[in-house]
Amino acid sequence: MKYRSSLIQKLLRSIMLLVLLPLSASAAYVDELIAAAHSKQLSAAPEWHALLHYYPNLVLPGVHSLADDPAFLNAPDGKTNPEAELDATLRRFFEPPVNPLENPESQHAQCTFIARYHWLRQQLNFDDTQLIPQSCARFEQWFASLNPAGVTLIFPAAYLNNPASMFGHTLLRVDAKDQTEKTRLLAYAVNYAAVVDEKDNGVTFAVNGLIGGYAGMFSVMPYYLKVREYSEMENRDIWEYRLNFTEPEIEQMLRHLWELRGIRFDYYFFDENCSYHLLSLFEVARPELELTREFRWWAIPADTIRSVVEQKDLVGDAVYRPAGITELKHQLQFVDDDRQRMTQALANRALDVNSQEFKGLTVAEQAKTLEFTHAYLNYDIAKGHRTDTEAGPLLFELYAARSKVDTGPAFSPVPTPAVRPEQGHATARLALGLGYQDQWYQQLRVRPAYHDLLDPQAGYEEGAQIDFLDFSFRHWNSGPTRLESWVPVSIVSLVPRNRFIKPVSWKIRTAFERKRLHDGSEPLLFTVEGGAGLTQQRNVAQRIYAMIEGGLAAHDRLDKHVSLGLGPSVGMLWQVNPLWRLEAGAKVLRYGVGEHQTRHQLRLEQNVVITNDSAIRVNLSQQQEYERVWSTAEIAWQHYF
C-alpha cells in the first residue's frame, strides 16, 4: 500500500513537471522577447505607433492612443505607455489556444492583434517551437473573401443637404484580383463613420459631432452599396484614386483593419473624422508616410486627398464616376424642348412608345428620348419621387423599346472635369485688405475652411458655399483695432431648377458682427440669417436667385434685447470669364419684433484669380439702418493655403 502511494506521488510530480516545464520555458522565452524588444526600442518604432494610433500629446511630453476602446489595448496604461502595451501584447501571444467550438466568436490574441503579431514576429524572429503560431481561420476566411490585389481611395464630393458630408467624404475600396474596371462595383469598401442615432435631431447631431459624442468605427461593405448611396441617392460625383501600395503593404493594412473591427474611436467632425482615420490606415501600411501629422486641428477630405496625391509615386490614375444627376444634366443639354415635353409625357404614361407620335421620330430622336426618359425615371426613383414598384414596368418597356432602335448610344459620356477636387484652391484663406467706410481702414481676414461663392470654382461644386470660422479684424485710421466679425458658419446652396430637377436653394449664416444701432454705436451682435428660394440658370455662366430671408439679432443694447426681421433678397452670380467672377445682390429686411427698423443692402463683389493660390477681391456695398446710409469700398489680396 505504501509502495502504491509513493508511486502515485511520483506520477503526480512527473505530471506537474510536464505541465510546468513548458510554462517555465514560455515564461523565460517571453522575458527573452521583451528584453530583445527593449534592446531594439521597438516601442518607439513608427510601425508600433502607427499600429496603436499613438500621437504626440498637445502640451505635455509623451503620446496617447486615439483608440478609445479598452478592447484595443492590452496593458492597463497602454493608452499612454507604448512600452507597457508592447510588453503586455507579447505576453498575450503566449495564452493557451482557444476552442472555437465553445465560442465561435472567440479568437486567440495572435489573431485578435494579427497585424501586431505579424510585425513583432518579423522584428523578433519568433521561435515557433516556443511561441506556437495559432490558427486564425476566421481572419483567413475574411481575407480570402476580399482577395486583395490593390486599394483605391474614393472621394465622393460634397453634398450640401447632409451636414455630415458638407466637406465631402473619403473611403477605401479593396480591389480584388479577378476584377476589371467593369466589375469594380463588386469590390468591397472600407468606410469609417460615426455611429449616429437616427432619432437625433440636427442640434444633437452637431453638438455630438463637435465634442466627440459619437463612436467612430470602421466597417466593410459592398462597394456598389456606397456608389448607390452617394451617386444615385445623394447626387454626389465620385473620384477614384488608384493607390500604389505593394502587396505586403496592402496585406498589413488589411490585417490592421481586422484588428479594428468593432473598435471605438471618439468621432469628431473637424479632426478625428473619416479622412483622418483613413490616413492612419495608410501609415500602418507605410509608416514613413506620416500623413496625419499635418491634420492636427482639422482634416478636410479634399485636403487629405491633396496630401495623398502629393506623396511621391503613391497615386496612380484617377477615375471620375459622375452622379446620376450629373448624367441627367449632361444629357439635358442635347434634348430640345419638344423632346423634353415628350419625355415628361412618357414618364407620366400620357404617351406610349408605340404611339404614332413617338414612332414618327427619327431613329436618333427615338434613341435620345428613350435614354433620357430612362435617366429621368432613375433620378426620380433615387429622389423618392417614384417607387421601384411604380416605375419598374415602365423602365422595362423603355428598355425593350430602346433595344429595338438600331443605333448606338444617343449621348456622349459625361466629360471628366478638367480640374480634379485636389487641384482646386487650398481650403484655408488669408486676406489682407484696404477699405473706406467714412474713414480708411486696414483689414485682416482668416478663414480656416473652405470655399465661398466667389472663390475660384475649379475643383469645387458650382453655386455652393461652406465657410467656417471666418475671422475679420479691422484697424481704423482714427480708431482702435478690433474684431469686426466672426462667422462660425455660412452655408449657401444655389442649385438651378429646370423642368426635371427642382431643388430649393437655401442659405444659413451665424455670426458675431458689428452693427450700427440707433445711437450710432457699433457693438458686436449675435446674428442668425437664413432663407430659402429659387435659382434659375440663365446660361452656363449666369445664375439668378431670389429668396425670402429671416434674420435675428441679439444684444443687451437692443430694445427687448432681440430683433427679428423678414424680407426678400435677389442676386446674380456671373462667371464673366475664367478668371473673373462677380456677385450682385440686394436685400431688404423689415425687423418688426423686438427693436423695429428696416435694413437695406446693395452689394457688388468681384473676385479676380491671380494664381491657383491667390486672388484679388473687390467689394462695393451700400447699407441703410436706422435711417442712416453709408457706403463701403474694399479691395483685398487673398492667399489660399
Side-chain angles (χ1 to χ4, degrees):
M1 190 68 183
K2 186 177 178 180
Y3 171 77
R4 187 176 179 183
S5 174
S6 175
L7 184 61
I8 292 174
Q9 289 178 0
K10 287 182 179 179
L11 182 60
L12 289 173
R13 281 199 297 269
S14 298
I15 293 174
M16 290 293 293
L17 280 173
L18 287 172
V19 172
L20 293 177
L21 187 60
L23 291 178
S24 176
S26 296
Y29 187 52
V30 71
D31 289 341
E32 179 184 332
L33 290 178
I34 290 173
H38 289 185
S39 175
K40 292 186 173 184
Q41 297 184 323
L42 295 185
S43 63
E47 291 86 349
W48 185 248
H49 282 231
L51 285 167
L52 273 298
H53 297 256
Y54 284 125
Y55 292 92
N57 294 331
L58 187 60
V59 179
L60 300 175
V63 297
H64 65 281
S65 173
L66 297 183
D68 299 293
D69 196 322
F72 188 69
L73 302 167
N74 293 302
D77 58 345
K79 189 173 180 65
T80 57
N81 190 336
E83 187 172 89
E85 179 61 25
L86 192 149
D87 295 352
T89 302
L90 282 172
R91 293 187 187 282
R92 287 209 59 192
F93 291 161
F94 285 81
E95 289 180 349
V98 298
N99 185 356
L101 296 178
E102 296 178 355
N103 181 2
E105 296 298 319
S106 63
Q107 288 191 105
H108 193 274
Q110 293 180 18
C111 308
T112 305
F113 308 107
I114 193 166
R116 304 179 207 180
Y117 175 80
H118 178 80
W119 182 71
L120 288 170
R121 179 185 175 85
Q122 287 183 326
Q123 302 304 311
L124 299 173
N125 296 315
F126 290 164
D127 181 349
D128 290 348
T129 63
Q130 300 193 70
L131 176 54
I132 300 172
Q134 302 297 311
S135 172
C136 298
R138 289 176 54 203
F139 168 77
E140 297 297 340
Q141 185 178 10
W142 175 81
F143 189 86
S145 68
L146 295 176
N147 192 24
V151 290
T152 300
L153 180 59
I154 307 297
F155 176 62
Y159 175 53
L160 281 177
N161 288 330
N162 183 345
S165 301
M166 288 187 297
F167 294 123
H169 180 62
T170 54
L171 60 154
L172 199 65
R173 188 182 69 203
V174 182
D175 300 319
K177 291 177 180 174
D178 55 354
Q179 288 172 343
T180 65
E181 284 303 324
K182 294 183 178 180
T183 59
R184 291 294 182 211
L185 291 178
L186 301 177
Y188 282 95
V190 178
N191 192 48
Y192 177 83
V195 181
V196 179
D197 189 336
E198 294 181 353
K199 297 178 181 177
D200 287 352
N201 57 40
V203 174
T204 304
F205 180 78
V207 171
N208 280 335
L210 291 173
I211 66 173
Y214 288 122
M217 291 187 177
F218 283 93
S219 60
V220 178
M221 62 192 71
Y223 181 54
Y224 70 84
L225 292 179
K226 301 305 291 181
V227 170
R228 186 170 190 272
E229 175 186 345
Y230 294 129
S231 179
E232 298 180 13
M233 299 173 65
E234 297 185 354
N235 299 320
R236 302 165 68 174
D237 294 337
I238 295 175
W239 289 88
E240 303 172 345
Y241 300 84
R242 193 74 52 82
L243 301 178
N244 295 322
F245 284 111
T246 64
E247 186 172 340
E249 289 172 337
I250 293 171
E251 290 175 357
Q252 181 67 347
M253 184 191 301
L254 295 178
R255 289 189 197 99
H256 184 57
L257 183 63
W258 177 260
E259 294 178 335
L260 294 173
R261 293 176 323 121
I263 298 299
R264 173 194 170 117
F265 293 78
D266 291 343
Y267 190 97
Y268 295 89
F269 284 154
F270 289 113
D271 50 6
E272 293 182 47
N273 54 25
C274 62
S275 294
Y276 185 90
H277 280 295
L278 214 57
L279 296 182
S280 69
L281 282 184
F282 299 168
E283 291 179 338
V284 168
R286 194 179 294 177
E288 62 268 26
L289 286 176
E290 297 184 344
L291 291 166
T292 56
R293 177 172 294 181
E294 64 181 283
F295 300 105
R296 181 94 182 191
W297 299 103
W298 60 81
I300 297 174
D303 286 342
T304 63
I305 295 286
R306 186 177 290 113
S307 179
V308 170
V309 170
E310 288 173 353
Q311 303 300 314
K312 186 179 180 182
D313 299 328
L314 180 57
V315 176
D317 57 335
V319 175
Y320 173 64
R321 190 184 293 275
I325 194 173
T326 305
E327 292 188 356
L328 189 67
K329 289 178 178 176
H330 169 70
Q331 294 179 6
L332 183 59
Q333 302 173 63
F334 306 100
V335 180
D336 61 29
D337 195 60
D338 288 341
R339 300 292 83 74
Q340 290 184 27
R341 293 180 189 281
M342 186 172 286
T343 292
Q344 285 188 310
L346 285 171
N348 295 322
R349 287 198 177 279
L351 182 69
D352 189 84
V353 293
N354 297 311
S355 67
Q356 287 300 317
E357 183 179 357
F358 182 79
K359 292 290 187 182
L361 298 177
T362 65
V363 169
E365 287 174 332
Q366 286 185 23
K368 184 178 294 186
T369 305
L370 289 170
E371 289 186 19
F372 185 67
T373 307
H374 189 274
Y376 170 51
L377 282 175
N378 277 325
Y379 168 77
D380 252 13
I381 294 171
K383 296 301 293 181
H385 300 153
R386 302 170 194 255
T387 65
D388 287 320
T389 305
E390 293 171 353
L394 180 54
L395 282 171
F396 180 78
E397 291 175 27
L398 295 172
Y399 263 130
R402 179 64 183 88
S403 67
K404 296 174 183 175
V405 180
D406 188 16
T407 185
F411 299 99
S412 59
V414 177
T416 299
V419 179
R420 301 197 303 256
E422 83 280 3
Q423 295 171 328
H425 68 77
T427 54
R429 188 181 69 191
L430 170 70
L432 298 173
L434 175 68
Y436 186 84
Q437 181 181 302
D438 300 333
Q439 60 177 298
W440 289 99
Y441 65 84
Q442 297 82 49
Q443 182 162 277
L444 167 67
R445 290 185 66 175
V446 180
R447 184 202 65 186
Y450 156 80
H451 174 77
D452 70 23
L453 292 174
L454 291 180
D455 283 333
Q457 297 296 297
Y460 288 82
E461 184 181 359
E462 175 73 27
Q465 169 176 305
I466 309 175
D467 273 354
F468 272 91
L469 306 178
D470 188 356
F471 288 90
S472 174
F473 298 91
R474 278 185 188 175
H475 170 69
W476 298 89
N477 278 11
S478 60
T481 300
R482 68 187 190 187
L483 175 65
E484 197 66 22
S485 66
W486 175 48
V487 184
V489 60
S490 176
I491 304 173
V492 182
S493 175
L494 301 177
V495 185
R497 296 167 68 91
N498 57 48
R499 183 172 287 161
F500 302 95
I501 304 168
K502 299 177 179 177
V504 174
S505 294
W506 58 277
K507 63 191 302 184
I508 183 72
R509 177 179 184 271
T510 64
F512 293 88
E513 56 188 340
R514 298 196 179 275
K515 295 285 187 182
R516 286 190 178 181
L517 302 185
H518 51 83
D519 59 0
S521 63
E522 296 182 340
L524 209 57
L525 275 64
F526 172 69
T527 64
V528 179
E529 294 181 353
L534 307 177
T535 299
Q536 190 72 35
Q537 182 123 25
R538 294 189 61 196
N539 52 50
V540 175
Q542 294 179 351
R543 297 184 182 199
I544 57 174
Y545 61 88
M547 293 189 185
I548 297 297
E549 295 193 30
L552 175 148
H555 195 275
D556 288 344
R557 300 181 67 174
L558 291 174
D559 186 22
K560 300 179 183 178
H561 308 307
V562 70
S563 185
L564 285 172
L566 185 70
S569 69
V570 295
M572 180 183 71
L573 269 176
W574 184 10
Q575 187 72 49
V576 182
N577 62 44
L579 300 179
W580 180 19
R581 186 173 176 84
L582 66 82
E583 181 185 14
K587 179 164 64 176
V588 178
L589 285 184
R590 172 59 184 166
Y591 288 86
V593 177
E595 185 150 313
H596 292 202
Q597 67 140 327
T598 300
R599 178 183 169 209
H600 300 79
Q601 183 187 57
L602 295 172
R603 61 188 173 84
L604 173 64
E605 301 180 41
Q606 302 176 77
N607 196 78
V608 179
V609 176
I610 306 301
T611 65
N612 193 45
D613 59 6
S614 66
I616 296 293
R617 182 73 61 95
V618 178
N619 297 336
L620 302 171
S621 67
Q622 185 179 74
Q623 297 189 64
Q624 177 182 332
E625 294 187 18
Y626 299 101
E627 308 302 330
R628 298 182 60 183
V629 179
W630 70 92
S631 300
T632 304
E634 182 180 300
I635 184 170
W637 168 78
Q638 302 191 138
H639 173 62
Y640 302 92
F641 62 100

